[in-house]
Amino acid sequence: MRVVINIEQLLHEAPGGIGRYTAELVRGLNRQFPGDTVIPFTARHSRTSVERARRNFRLDGPGAQEPVILALPRPILYDAWHALGWPLLSSSAPILGTCDLVHAPSTAVPPRGPQPLVVTMHDAAYALFPHVYPRRGRHFHRRGASAAARRADLVITGSHSAAAEIVEHTQILAERVRVVPYGVDHLKASPEGVDSALQRYGLSHIPYLLWVGSFEPRKNVGTLVQAFSTLVSESDLPHHLVLVGPHGWLEKDLVDSHLQQQISDRLHVLGVVPEDDLRALYAAADVFAFPSIHEGFGLPVLEAMVQDTVVVCSDIPALREVAADGASFVTSTDAESWASALEAVIRDSSLRERRVLAGRRQAANFSWERTVRETHEVYEEALADR
């Protein structure tokens, strides 16, 4: 099987969960199905930029194909795809026309060619929470969902809750949606790696709560900051709050500036960190807090569970599905309840132990190997149907 996959997300300033998914899929297909050929492609970038992204995401291993670089830059390419149904991949680069199947790992949906088209749509948040997206973001996702409904043979998503909202809020039919859970890396942080990371970020001997995500409204980090401020002002807990992740959109007013000043001596905003350091930061945290108002899946919850870190997260469908009994659940925007829940798992060692053990069992159900295998099964189904 010759599969064409768009890896443009890896060239974004903040590749996020979609970038992680795309990279794991390409790398896993090359490893698990060596008889297949995976041909990655991007919009127009310098060859140097593409090769850097390829190295950063470890897509340059044995047997890996060099990415095809198209002539149009990302914004023009995606607008042309969605609005005009042009250009066909085969006309952009002849090698892309020789494939058996095309996979769009996001709602940047290319025109339909003679081959089956599989699209991964991660959620329908743009329809549920349009106010948390900038205007162009809403426009892109709306057009992409419409293109997927018209063009895709099959649509993959990561959770049953995401599948339900996609069917409810788009024109994609339920019989064309396949749930393929995303995976998690089960590599544990080493004690040496933890010590090194804590020294590097000035966190040695400091108990802390951790949040990981993009600074954008859906992640609701402002409620966590408010809850943390209440927690430390009304208790004797010595904890700090560590925020990890890239800049997002509409982030200017996410955190109350007055609260930020109040806890400035306990707040650490680290930005993007290397994968090894992220594992170490999960492992050393007393609590991982994830207060999102919406998720299609929630990868960081599983990443924390793998490192035996207790999880407190929002009581929303996707996180209930992914975390099961491995987390404590709190109403997303109730800062007082968040403060109480965080204090409970910090002070109650029995509760912590139960959550950690349940989280370890739950995380064991997810792997990138499974994601790749079940995605390949979707490819085979699309080919058989065609």
Side-chain angles (χ1 to χ4, degrees), residues 287-291 301 305 309-316 319-320 323-331 337-338 340-342 344-346 348 351-352 354-356 358-359:
V287 184
F288 175 69
F290 202 55
V301 166
M305 289 176 173
T309 299
V310 67
V311 173
V312 180
C313 63
S314 290
D315 192 0
I316 57 177
L319 297 185
R320 278 278 181 185
D325 60 351
S328 295
F329 294 94
V330 187
T331 301
S337 294
W338 271 93
S340 298
L342 293 170
V345 295
I346 290 171
D348 188 337
L351 174 61
R352 288 173 60 83
R354 291 198 304 274
R355 290 283 184 263
V356 167

Side-chain angles (χ1 to χ4, degrees), residues 217 221-222 249-257 260:
V221 69
W249 53 88
L250 303 179
E251 65 174 270
K252 181 180 178 184
D253 300 316
L254 293 183
V255 179
D256 183 283
S257 58
Q260 197 167 350

Side-chain angles (χ1 to χ4, degrees), residues 65-119:
Q65 296 285 310
E66 187 173 293
V68 175
I69 302 175
L70 304 184
L72 294 176
R74 180 193 307 149
I76 297 174
L77 181 67
Y78 288 178
D79 284 349
W81 280 356
H82 291 165
L84 304 175
W86 173 91
L88 292 174
L89 291 177
S90 56
S91 64
S92 301
I95 190 175
L96 301 183
T98 67
C99 69
D100 299 306
L101 180 139
V102 175
H103 186 179
S106 74
T107 45
V109 182
R112 187 184 181 90
Q115 310 92 342
L117 172 64
V118 173
V119 175

Side-chain angles (χ1 to χ4, degrees), residues 166-246:
I166 288 167
V167 171
E168 181 178 356
H169 294 282
T170 75
Q171 294 178 309
I172 297 169
L173 301 177
E175 55 263 32
R176 289 164 58 202
V177 178
R178 302 292 180 267
V179 174
V180 177
Y182 307 148
V184 66
D185 184 347
H186 287 269
L187 183 62
K188 300 272 286 188
S190 68
E192 298 79 14
V194 170
D195 290 343
S196 176
L198 294 181
Q199 289 181 7
R200 189 156 39 253
Y201 298 109
L203 295 170
S204 296
H205 311 298
I206 295 175
Y208 64 86
L209 286 63
L210 178 67
W211 171 87
V212 175
S214 298
F215 284 85
E216 47 106 342
R218 219 172 16 137
K219 302 301 183 179
N220 194 33
V221 69
T223 294
L224 177 58
V225 171
Q226 185 180 354
F228 179 77
S229 177
T230 299
L231 178 66
V232 296
S233 66
E234 296 181 0
S235 75
D236 59 352
L237 291 173
H239 289 69
H240 289 213
L241 176 61
V242 177
L243 309 179
V244 174

